[in-house]
C-alpha cells in the first residue's frame, strides 16, 4: 500500500499459448479495493521480462520493490531488479541486483536500516 492509501496489486502471468512469456501486470485501487484500474504490463523494457515482485517495502519516501525476471526468451535463470515508486503508478528501475548468467536465485527481503538505506537479504544458491 502506498503512503496515500492507494492499494497496489501486482500479478504474475504465464502465457500458456505463447511459450516463454513470463509477465507481471499491475493495477491500483484508490477506494480500498472496491474498484481497480485496468491492468498494465509492469515492465515494458523489451530486453527483460519481469515476472513477479518478491518483496515491496513502504517507506516515507515511497515504495521500494525487488522483482524477479528472466530474459525475453525465458530460458535463462532469474535476475533481480530493484525498483522505486513514490506513489505506485510510476516505477523506475534503480539497479540490477543479479544478472541471469549468475543464476543466484530470486528470493529476497527488503529492510530499511536507516532513512534512505535499504538492505537486501538474498537467498543464494550454488551453481
Amino acid at each position: 500500500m502506498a503512503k496515500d492509501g492507494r492499494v497496489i496489486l501486482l500479478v504474475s502471468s504465464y502465457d500458456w499459448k505463447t511459450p516463454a512469456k513470463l509477465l507481471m501486470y499491475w493495477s491500483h485501487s484508490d477506494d480500498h479495493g472496491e474498484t481497480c484500474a485496468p491492468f498494465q504490463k509492469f515492465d515494458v523494457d523489451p530486453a527483460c521480462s519481469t515476472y513477479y515482485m518478491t518483496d515491496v517495502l513502504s517507506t516515507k519516501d515511497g515504495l521500494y520493490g525487488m522483482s524477479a525476471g528472466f530474459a525475453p526468451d525465458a530460458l535463462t535463470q532469474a535476475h533481480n531488479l530493484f525498483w522505486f515508486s513514490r506513489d505506485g503508478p510510476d516505477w523506475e528501475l534503480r539497479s540490477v541486483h543479479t544478472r541471469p548468467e549468475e543464476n543466484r536465485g530470486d528470493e529476497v527481503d527488503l529492510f530499511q536500516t536507516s532513512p534512505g538505506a535499504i538492505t537486501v537479504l538474498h537467498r543464494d544458491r550454488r551453481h
Side-chain angles (χ1 to χ4, degrees), residues 102-122:
E102 295 174 312
N103 190 21
R104 305 285 303 273
D106 58 357
E107 296 172 4
V108 301
D109 282 315
L110 300 173
F111 298 93
Q112 185 171 21
T113 51
S114 64
I118 306 295
T119 298
V120 177
L121 295 180
H122 184 187

Side-chain angles (χ1 to χ4, degrees), residues 23-85:
L23 304 171
M24 185 172 74
Y25 294 89
W26 78 275
S27 179
H28 70 276
S29 174
D30 292 323
D31 57 9
H32 307 288
E34 292 293 322
T35 61
C36 289
F39 279 93
Q40 302 175 48
K41 186 176 177 194
F42 180 82
D43 182 4
V44 295
D45 184 348
C48 61
S49 176
T50 298
Y51 185 35
Y52 57 90
M53 197 68 78
T54 61
D55 196 13
V56 175
L57 176 67
S58 181
T59 71
K60 70 176 185 77
D61 298 323
L63 300 169
Y64 291 90
M66 186 70 76
S67 71
F70 298 84
D73 62 8
L75 298 176
T76 55
Q77 296 296 323
H79 61 264
N80 296 282
L81 304 172
F82 187 60
W83 299 89
F84 173 74
S85 176

Side-chain angles (χ1 to χ4, degrees), residues 5-23:
R6 172 172 279 177
V7 176
I8 309 293
L9 180 61
L10 301 161
V11 178
S12 300
S13 168
Y14 183 86
D15 185 345
W16 294 99
K17 296 177 186 175
T18 307
K21 291 292 183 182
L22 307 170
L23 304 171

